[in-house]
Amino acid sequence: MLSTVERKIEQFIVELDDKEVSTLYSKLPHGKRLRAKLILKIAGSGLAVVKTAAIVEMIHAASLLHDDVIDDAYTRRAKPSLNALYGNKTAIMLGDILYSKGFLELNNISAEVAKIISNAVVQLSLGELKDVSLSKTFNLDKDIYLEMIYQKTASLMEASAGAAAVLAGKDKTAYMTYGRNLGIAFQMIDDLLDITTDASTLGKPALHDFVEGKTTLPYIYLYEVLDAQGQNRLKSLHAKVLNTEEQAWIVQQMQAHKIIEKSFFEAKVLVQEAIELMRNNGEEALTTIAMQMIDRKF
Ligand code: FPP
Ligand code: MG
């Protein structure tokens, strides 16, 4: 049960014995806890499983605290981000505290689980750096985009599923592929929502990614189908604050060329592949959680 994970995280925070950290943690919105759900679904609810799920969620929360500083994001899940409320220094340090406490606790699980999770954290840090570097360019290479979102987002889902399989005494290979596919699909949808969702629902302004310089999958696909004039226009708008007319042009072009449908389809195929793989392993119960990846509004 997810509440046992929540209680475990709270216990880890209490163990830090620091009032300020407890207060700051209480201000963080919890999110969907997808990674914890994945771990519990695969491995049940033994103590080591609950601890691993709590550790992964703490690492994930830490990465988002840092990400909001890096992205200059003042909202998270439709609420003010911690950096907006308390400033960058506090957000970075709370991230470091959650991250290092998570790593301390990881030592008590098993060497194999610790290796899987810590390798993913290396990957997600490399992925975030790649995201930052790529946003300084008008990247049109889909493979580079896919590698970046694998590292930034899918690596931790892949590791969550792999660690859970290890804890359950199962062969981790298929589970890791399942987690990887879900993670890539999750980030593709996240990038789509940045275009399709209005600011009040998503908790950040629409087209924020493009303004930040990120050419996510829909922009790569749009560029491919535009004529030379359209391509020049899209390029000229990259990494700029957009006025209403410019925003509307991008959205209209996406609609006219069915770019959102095309990108969504790609995410769906990955999820279907993941579901199929698990079915072949007798894991029907992992279908629902996979569907949740693509059926989300924010
Ligand atoms: C969200 O991407 C970002 C990530 C999933 C990874 C962030 C990783 C780091 C900051 C590396 C540091 C790691 C640790 C453990 C301290 P996004 O900006 O595309 O998504 P968003 O819409 O949720 O902001
Ligand atoms: Mg971000």
mmCIF file of all heavy atoms in Angstrom, residues 38 41-42 161-162 165 170-182 270-290:
data_model
loop_
_atom_site.group_PDB
_atom_site.id
_atom_site.type_symbol
_atom_site.label_atom_id
_atom_site.label_comp_id
_atom_site.label_asym_id
_atom_site.label_seq_id
_atom_site.Cartn_x
_atom_site.Cartn_y
_atom_site.Cartn_z
ATOM 1 N N LEU A 38 4.902 1.330 -8.976
ATOM 2 C CA LEU A 38 5.523 0.329 -9.842
ATOM 3 C C LEU A 38 6.266 -0.709 -8.993
ATOM 4 O O LEU A 38 6.134 -1.922 -9.202
ATOM 5 C CB LEU A 38 6.517 1.076 -10.751
ATOM 6 C CG LEU A 38 7.028 0.436 -12.007
ATOM 7 C CD1 LEU A 38 5.870 0.142 -12.937
ATOM 8 C CD2 LEU A 38 8.017 1.381 -12.714
ATOM 9 N N LYS A 41 3.805 -2.883 -6.973
ATOM 10 C CA LYS A 41 3.072 -3.810 -7.865
ATOM 11 C C LYS A 41 3.920 -5.011 -8.257
ATOM 12 O O LYS A 41 3.439 -6.128 -8.367
ATOM 13 C CB LYS A 41 2.657 -3.075 -9.150
ATOM 14 C CG LYS A 41 1.245 -2.518 -9.122
ATOM 15 C CD LYS A 41 0.252 -3.552 -9.668
ATOM 16 C CE LYS A 41 -1.168 -3.055 -9.730
ATOM 17 N NZ LYS A 41 -1.849 -3.001 -8.449
ATOM 18 N N ILE A 42 5.221 -4.766 -8.464
ATOM 19 C CA ILE A 42 6.101 -5.856 -8.890
ATOM 20 C C ILE A 42 6.536 -6.720 -7.706
ATOM 21 O O ILE A 42 6.613 -7.935 -7.816
ATOM 22 C CB ILE A 42 7.345 -5.297 -9.640
ATOM 23 C CG1 ILE A 42 6.913 -4.623 -10.949
ATOM 24 C CG2 ILE A 42 8.378 -6.394 -9.910
ATOM 25 C CD1 ILE A 42 8.004 -3.853 -11.676
ATOM 26 N N ALA A 161 11.761 -0.651 -11.661
ATOM 27 C CA ALA A 161 11.202 -1.949 -12.040
ATOM 28 C C ALA A 161 12.253 -3.050 -11.852
ATOM 29 O O ALA A 161 11.941 -4.143 -11.352
ATOM 30 C CB ALA A 161 10.716 -1.909 -13.489
ATOM 31 N N GLY A 162 13.504 -2.763 -12.209
ATOM 32 C CA GLY A 162 14.581 -3.742 -12.073
ATOM 33 C C GLY A 162 14.853 -4.080 -10.608
ATOM 34 O O GLY A 162 14.971 -5.254 -10.241
ATOM 35 N N ALA A 165 12.106 -6.204 -9.229
ATOM 36 C CA ALA A 165 12.203 -7.592 -9.693
ATOM 37 C C ALA A 165 13.251 -8.343 -8.872
ATOM 38 O O ALA A 165 13.016 -9.472 -8.427
ATOM 39 C CB ALA A 165 12.550 -7.622 -11.182
ATOM 40 N N LYS A 170 12.854 -12.173 -9.034
ATOM 41 C CA LYS A 170 12.541 -12.447 -10.440
ATOM 42 C C LYS A 170 13.703 -11.995 -11.328
ATOM 43 O O LYS A 170 14.508 -11.158 -10.908
ATOM 44 C CB LYS A 170 11.277 -11.654 -10.849
ATOM 45 C CG LYS A 170 10.031 -12.057 -10.063
ATOM 46 C CD LYS A 170 8.891 -11.080 -10.326
ATOM 47 C CE LYS A 170 7.652 -11.443 -9.522
ATOM 48 N NZ LYS A 170 6.594 -10.433 -9.590
ATOM 49 N N ASP A 171 13.732 -12.508 -12.564
ATOM 50 C CA ASP A 171 14.755 -12.052 -13.507
ATOM 51 C C ASP A 171 14.421 -10.612 -13.916
ATOM 52 O O ASP A 171 13.308 -10.331 -14.374
ATOM 53 C CB ASP A 171 14.767 -12.984 -14.731
ATOM 54 C CG ASP A 171 15.758 -12.507 -15.777
ATOM 55 O OD1 ASP A 171 16.722 -11.812 -15.404
ATOM 56 O OD2 ASP A 171 15.563 -12.805 -16.968
ATOM 57 N N LYS A 172 15.389 -9.721 -13.772
ATOM 58 C CA LYS A 172 15.084 -8.288 -13.934
ATOM 59 C C LYS A 172 14.984 -7.803 -15.377
ATOM 60 O O LYS A 172 14.423 -6.732 -15.631
ATOM 61 C CB LYS A 172 16.088 -7.423 -13.164
ATOM 62 C CG LYS A 172 17.536 -7.520 -13.636
ATOM 63 C CD LYS A 172 18.412 -6.605 -12.781
ATOM 64 C CE LYS A 172 19.844 -6.517 -13.217
ATOM 65 N NZ LYS A 172 20.642 -7.744 -13.151
ATOM 66 N N THR A 173 15.480 -8.571 -16.344
ATOM 67 C CA THR A 173 15.623 -8.050 -17.717
ATOM 68 C C THR A 173 14.320 -7.494 -18.302
ATOM 69 O O THR A 173 14.271 -6.333 -18.727
ATOM 70 C CB THR A 173 16.185 -9.152 -18.649
ATOM 71 O OG1 THR A 173 17.175 -9.870 -17.931
ATOM 72 C CG2 THR A 173 16.772 -8.577 -19.911
ATOM 73 N N ALA A 174 13.281 -8.314 -18.328
ATOM 74 C CA ALA A 174 12.025 -7.879 -18.953
ATOM 75 C C ALA A 174 11.412 -6.700 -18.170
ATOM 76 O O ALA A 174 10.865 -5.766 -18.772
ATOM 77 C CB ALA A 174 11.041 -9.040 -18.983
ATOM 78 N N TYR A 175 11.539 -6.732 -16.858
ATOM 79 C CA TYR A 175 10.968 -5.666 -16.027
ATOM 80 C C TYR A 175 11.651 -4.329 -16.308
ATOM 81 O O TYR A 175 11.029 -3.278 -16.316
ATOM 82 C CB TYR A 175 11.081 -6.026 -14.540
ATOM 83 C CG TYR A 175 10.181 -7.188 -14.174
ATOM 84 C CD1 TYR A 175 10.629 -8.496 -14.326
ATOM 85 C CD2 TYR A 175 8.881 -6.974 -13.738
ATOM 86 C CE1 TYR A 175 9.808 -9.572 -14.037
ATOM 87 C CE2 TYR A 175 8.053 -8.043 -13.444
ATOM 88 C CZ TYR A 175 8.509 -9.348 -13.598
ATOM 89 O OH TYR A 175 7.682 -10.401 -13.322
ATOM 90 N N MET A 176 12.953 -4.410 -16.555
ATOM 91 C CA MET A 176 13.685 -3.163 -16.832
ATOM 92 C C MET A 176 13.258 -2.585 -18.185
ATOM 93 O O MET A 176 13.097 -1.372 -18.321
ATOM 94 C CB MET A 176 15.194 -3.394 -16.774
ATOM 95 C CG MET A 176 15.633 -3.650 -15.332
ATOM 96 S SD MET A 176 17.413 -3.781 -15.081
ATOM 97 C CE MET A 176 17.905 -2.082 -14.886
ATOM 98 N N THR A 177 13.029 -3.459 -19.159
ATOM 99 C CA THR A 177 12.556 -2.975 -20.466
ATOM 100 C C THR A 177 11.177 -2.333 -20.302
ATOM 101 O O THR A 177 10.900 -1.272 -20.873
ATOM 102 C CB THR A 177 12.483 -4.144 -21.481
ATOM 103 O OG1 THR A 177 13.743 -4.797 -21.494
ATOM 104 C CG2 THR A 177 12.116 -3.665 -22.867
ATOM 105 N N TYR A 178 10.338 -3.006 -19.518
ATOM 106 C CA TYR A 178 8.995 -2.468 -19.226
ATOM 107 C C TYR A 178 9.124 -1.052 -18.623
ATOM 108 O O TYR A 178 8.508 -0.091 -19.108
ATOM 109 C CB TYR A 178 8.302 -3.438 -18.264
ATOM 110 C CG TYR A 178 7.050 -2.957 -17.583
ATOM 111 C CD1 TYR A 178 5.809 -3.022 -18.206
ATOM 112 C CD2 TYR A 178 7.106 -2.460 -16.277
ATOM 113 C CE1 TYR A 178 4.657 -2.600 -17.565
ATOM 114 C CE2 TYR A 178 5.952 -2.036 -15.618
ATOM 115 C CZ TYR A 178 4.731 -2.107 -16.267
ATOM 116 O OH TYR A 178 3.600 -1.692 -15.630
ATOM 117 N N GLY A 179 9.946 -0.912 -17.587
ATOM 118 C CA GLY A 179 10.117 0.392 -16.918
ATOM 119 C C GLY A 179 10.690 1.432 -17.863
ATOM 120 O O GLY A 179 10.274 2.593 -17.852
ATOM 121 N N ARG A 180 11.616 1.002 -18.691
ATOM 122 C CA ARG A 180 12.253 1.926 -19.634
ATOM 123 C C ARG A 180 11.213 2.461 -20.636
ATOM 124 O O ARG A 180 11.129 3.669 -20.884
ATOM 125 C CB ARG A 180 13.373 1.166 -20.362
ATOM 126 C CG ARG A 180 14.091 1.973 -21.416
ATOM 127 C CD ARG A 180 15.004 1.051 -22.246
ATOM 128 N NE ARG A 180 15.506 1.769 -23.387
ATOM 129 C CZ ARG A 180 16.771 2.134 -23.562
ATOM 130 N NH1 ARG A 180 17.673 1.831 -22.680
ATOM 131 N NH2 ARG A 180 17.136 2.802 -24.629
ATOM 132 N N ASN A 181 10.421 1.538 -21.206
ATOM 133 C CA ASN A 181 9.382 1.969 -22.153
ATOM 134 C C ASN A 181 8.393 2.933 -21.499
ATOM 135 O O ASN A 181 8.027 3.953 -22.075
ATOM 136 C CB ASN A 181 8.609 0.758 -22.681
ATOM 137 C CG ASN A 181 9.302 0.110 -23.853
ATOM 138 O OD1 ASN A 181 10.514 0.240 -24.009
ATOM 139 N ND2 ASN A 181 8.557 -0.591 -24.673
ATOM 140 N N LEU A 182 7.966 2.590 -20.275
ATOM 141 C CA LEU A 182 7.010 3.461 -19.582
ATOM 142 C C LEU A 182 7.622 4.836 -19.334
ATOM 143 O O LEU A 182 6.956 5.860 -19.492
ATOM 144 C CB LEU A 182 6.595 2.855 -18.228
ATOM 145 C CG LEU A 182 5.792 1.554 -18.243
ATOM 146 C CD1 LEU A 182 5.168 1.305 -16.885
ATOM 147 C CD2 LEU A 182 4.720 1.545 -19.318
ATOM 148 N N LEU A 270 4.919 2.414 -27.314
ATOM 149 C CA LEU A 270 5.886 1.993 -26.285
ATOM 150 C C LEU A 270 5.178 1.356 -25.094
ATOM 151 O O LEU A 270 5.629 0.354 -24.544
ATOM 152 C CB LEU A 270 6.702 3.202 -25.801
ATOM 153 C CG LEU A 270 7.773 3.724 -26.747
ATOM 154 C CD1 LEU A 270 8.320 5.049 -26.246
ATOM 155 C CD2 LEU A 270 8.921 2.712 -26.878
ATOM 156 N N VAL A 271 4.045 1.953 -24.701
ATOM 157 C CA VAL A 271 3.289 1.425 -23.561
ATOM 158 C C VAL A 271 2.690 0.066 -23.912
ATOM 159 O O VAL A 271 2.734 -0.877 -23.115
ATOM 160 C CB VAL A 271 2.213 2.438 -23.100
ATOM 161 C CG1 VAL A 271 1.256 1.819 -22.105
ATOM 162 C CG2 VAL A 271 2.883 3.659 -22.479
ATOM 163 N N GLN A 272 2.166 -0.041 -25.143
ATOM 164 C CA GLN A 272 1.593 -1.323 -25.562
ATOM 165 C C GLN A 272 2.646 -2.435 -25.598
ATOM 166 O O GLN A 272 2.398 -3.554 -25.168
ATOM 167 C CB GLN A 272 0.892 -1.191 -26.919
ATOM 168 C CG GLN A 272 -0.577 -0.823 -26.711
ATOM 169 C CD GLN A 272 -1.181 -0.100 -27.898
ATOM 170 O OE1 GLN A 272 -0.511 0.141 -28.900
ATOM 171 N NE2 GLN A 272 -2.448 0.271 -27.788
ATOM 172 N N GLU A 273 3.826 -2.081 -26.099
ATOM 173 C CA GLU A 273 4.951 -3.039 -26.110
ATOM 174 C C GLU A 273 5.259 -3.503 -24.689
ATOM 175 O O GLU A 273 5.494 -4.685 -24.441
ATOM 176 C CB GLU A 273 6.207 -2.327 -26.641
ATOM 177 C CG GLU A 273 6.541 -2.624 -28.084
ATOM 178 C CD GLU A 273 7.738 -1.782 -28.524
ATOM 179 O OE1 GLU A 273 8.713 -1.602 -27.733
ATOM 180 O OE2 GLU A 273 7.678 -1.282 -29.652
ATOM 181 N N ALA A 274 5.265 -2.539 -23.768
ATOM 182 C CA ALA A 274 5.573 -2.850 -22.364
ATOM 183 C C ALA A 274 4.515 -3.780 -21.773
ATOM 184 O O ALA A 274 4.845 -4.748 -21.082
ATOM 185 C CB ALA A 274 5.651 -1.546 -21.553
ATOM 186 N N ILE A 275 3.266 -3.500 -22.083
ATOM 187 C CA ILE A 275 2.160 -4.325 -21.568
ATOM 188 C C ILE A 275 2.279 -5.755 -22.110
ATOM 189 O O ILE A 275 2.160 -6.734 -21.373
ATOM 190 C CB ILE A 275 0.794 -3.697 -21.932
ATOM 191 C CG1 ILE A 275 0.583 -2.395 -21.133
ATOM 192 C CG2 ILE A 275 -0.359 -4.676 -21.688
ATOM 193 C CD1 ILE A 275 -0.648 -1.594 -21.522
ATOM 194 N N GLU A 276 2.543 -5.837 -23.408
ATOM 195 C CA GLU A 276 2.686 -7.144 -24.078
ATOM 196 C C GLU A 276 3.802 -7.970 -23.440
ATOM 197 O O GLU A 276 3.639 -9.152 -23.142
ATOM 198 C CB GLU A 276 2.989 -6.884 -25.570
ATOM 199 C CG GLU A 276 2.589 -7.978 -26.520
ATOM 200 C CD GLU A 276 1.147 -8.443 -26.325
ATOM 201 O OE1 GLU A 276 0.234 -7.592 -26.177
ATOM 202 O OE2 GLU A 276 0.958 -9.652 -26.301
ATOM 203 N N LEU A 277 4.911 -7.303 -23.215
ATOM 204 C CA LEU A 277 6.066 -7.965 -22.607
ATOM 205 C C LEU A 277 5.706 -8.544 -21.238
ATOM 206 O O LEU A 277 6.077 -9.670 -20.899
ATOM 207 C CB LEU A 277 7.200 -6.938 -22.470
ATOM 208 C CG LEU A 277 8.551 -7.425 -21.964
ATOM 209 C CD1 LEU A 277 9.147 -8.450 -22.917
ATOM 210 C CD2 LEU A 277 9.509 -6.242 -21.822
ATOM 211 N N MET A 278 4.968 -7.770 -20.458
ATOM 212 C CA MET A 278 4.588 -8.229 -19.120
ATOM 213 C C MET A 278 3.553 -9.346 -19.196
ATOM 214 O O MET A 278 3.592 -10.286 -18.405
ATOM 215 C CB MET A 278 4.067 -7.059 -18.281
ATOM 216 C CG MET A 278 5.164 -6.157 -17.792
ATOM 217 S SD MET A 278 6.348 -7.019 -16.708
ATOM 218 C CE MET A 278 7.815 -7.091 -17.684
ATOM 219 N N ARG A 279 2.641 -9.246 -20.162
ATOM 220 C CA ARG A 279 1.650 -10.328 -20.360
ATOM 221 C C ARG A 279 2.362 -11.646 -20.618
ATOM 222 O O ARG A 279 2.003 -12.678 -20.069
ATOM 223 C CB ARG A 279 0.760 -10.012 -21.563
ATOM 224 C CG ARG A 279 -0.429 -9.202 -21.157
ATOM 225 C CD ARG A 279 -1.599 -9.381 -22.115
ATOM 226 N NE ARG A 279 -2.587 -8.380 -21.756
ATOM 227 C CZ ARG A 279 -3.017 -7.418 -22.551
ATOM 228 N NH1 ARG A 279 -2.584 -7.358 -23.800
ATOM 229 N NH2 ARG A 279 -3.895 -6.540 -22.139
ATOM 230 N N ASN A 280 3.392 -11.582 -21.463
ATOM 231 C CA ASN A 280 4.154 -12.793 -21.781
ATOM 232 C C ASN A 280 4.871 -13.361 -20.566
ATOM 233 O O ASN A 280 5.274 -14.510 -20.546
ATOM 234 C CB ASN A 280 5.183 -12.519 -22.891
ATOM 235 C CG ASN A 280 4.494 -12.150 -24.194
ATOM 236 O OD1 ASN A 280 3.323 -12.461 -24.389
ATOM 237 N ND2 ASN A 280 5.215 -11.462 -25.077
ATOM 238 N N ASN A 281 5.042 -12.506 -19.545
ATOM 239 C CA ASN A 281 5.670 -12.950 -18.299
ATOM 240 C C ASN A 281 4.631 -13.240 -17.212
ATOM 241 O O ASN A 281 4.969 -13.337 -16.036
ATOM 242 C CB ASN A 281 6.647 -11.884 -17.793
ATOM 243 C CG ASN A 281 7.984 -11.932 -18.521
ATOM 244 O OD1 ASN A 281 8.945 -12.505 -18.061
ATOM 245 N ND2 ASN A 281 8.014 -11.337 -19.710
ATOM 246 N N GLY A 282 3.364 -13.294 -17.629
ATOM 247 C CA GLY A 282 2.299 -13.593 -16.665
ATOM 248 C C GLY A 282 2.005 -12.458 -15.705
ATOM 249 O O GLY A 282 1.545 -12.671 -14.586
ATOM 250 N N GLU A 283 2.319 -11.227 -16.103
ATOM 251 C CA GLU A 283 2.139 -10.071 -15.211
ATOM 252 C C GLU A 283 1.018 -9.158 -15.709
ATOM 253 O O GLU A 283 1.256 -7.986 -16.006
ATOM 254 C CB GLU A 283 3.456 -9.281 -15.115
ATOM 255 C CG GLU A 283 4.565 -9.994 -14.382
ATOM 256 C CD GLU A 283 4.519 -9.794 -12.863
ATOM 257 O OE1 GLU A 283 3.457 -9.447 -12.327
ATOM 258 O OE2 GLU A 283 5.567 -9.998 -12.230
ATOM 259 N N GLU A 284 -0.210 -9.686 -15.758
ATOM 260 C CA GLU A 284 -1.368 -8.900 -16.211
ATOM 261 C C GLU A 284 -1.574 -7.665 -15.328
ATOM 262 O O GLU A 284 -2.010 -6.615 -15.794
ATOM 263 C CB GLU A 284 -2.640 -9.763 -16.146
ATOM 264 C CG GLU A 284 -2.704 -10.890 -17.166
ATOM 265 C CD GLU A 284 -3.027 -10.423 -18.578
ATOM 266 O OE1 GLU A 284 -3.614 -9.343 -18.726
ATOM 267 O OE2 GLU A 284 -2.640 -11.141 -19.522
ATOM 268 N N ALA A 285 -1.230 -7.811 -14.051
ATOM 269 C CA ALA A 285 -1.473 -6.730 -13.081
ATOM 270 C C ALA A 285 -0.664 -5.469 -13.397
ATOM 271 O O ALA A 285 -0.954 -4.391 -12.878
ATOM 272 C CB ALA A 285 -1.159 -7.218 -11.683
ATOM 273 N N LEU A 286 0.331 -5.608 -14.257
ATOM 274 C CA LEU A 286 1.140 -4.422 -14.577
ATOM 275 C C LEU A 286 0.578 -3.625 -15.757
ATOM 276 O O LEU A 286 1.172 -2.656 -16.209
ATOM 277 C CB LEU A 286 2.586 -4.833 -14.844
ATOM 278 C CG LEU A 286 3.350 -5.330 -13.605
ATOM 279 C CD1 LEU A 286 4.756 -5.769 -13.966
ATOM 280 C CD2 LEU A 286 3.414 -4.246 -12.529
ATOM 281 N N THR A 287 -0.604 -4.031 -16.233
ATOM 282 C CA THR A 287 -1.238 -3.321 -17.351
ATOM 283 C C THR A 287 -1.797 -1.968 -16.906
ATOM 284 O O THR A 287 -1.553 -0.943 -17.550
ATOM 285 C CB THR A 287 -2.375 -4.181 -17.945
ATOM 286 O OG1 THR A 287 -1.812 -5.416 -18.387
ATOM 287 C CG2 THR A 287 -3.054 -3.497 -19.104
ATOM 288 N N THR A 288 -2.527 -1.972 -15.792
ATOM 289 C CA THR A 288 -3.200 -0.748 -15.337
ATOM 290 C C THR A 288 -2.217 0.390 -15.108
ATOM 291 O O THR A 288 -2.429 1.516 -15.559
ATOM 292 C CB THR A 288 -3.954 -1.015 -14.007
ATOM 293 O OG1 THR A 288 -4.535 -2.311 -14.090
ATOM 294 C CG2 THR A 288 -4.999 0.025 -13.737
ATOM 295 N N ILE A 289 -1.134 0.082 -14.427
ATOM 296 C CA ILE A 289 -0.153 1.132 -14.120
ATOM 297 C C ILE A 289 0.483 1.667 -15.408
ATOM 298 O O ILE A 289 0.766 2.864 -15.531
ATOM 299 C CB ILE A 289 0.882 0.636 -13.079
ATOM 300 C CG1 ILE A 289 1.732 1.789 -12.568
ATOM 301 C CG2 ILE A 289 1.739 -0.477 -13.593
ATOM 302 C CD1 ILE A 289 2.422 1.487 -11.267
ATOM 303 N N ALA A 290 0.637 0.789 -16.394
ATOM 304 C CA ALA A 290 1.192 1.228 -17.681
ATOM 305 C C ALA A 290 0.213 2.181 -18.376
ATOM 306 O O ALA A 290 0.617 3.208 -18.937
ATOM 307 C CB ALA A 290 1.479 0.022 -18.562
#
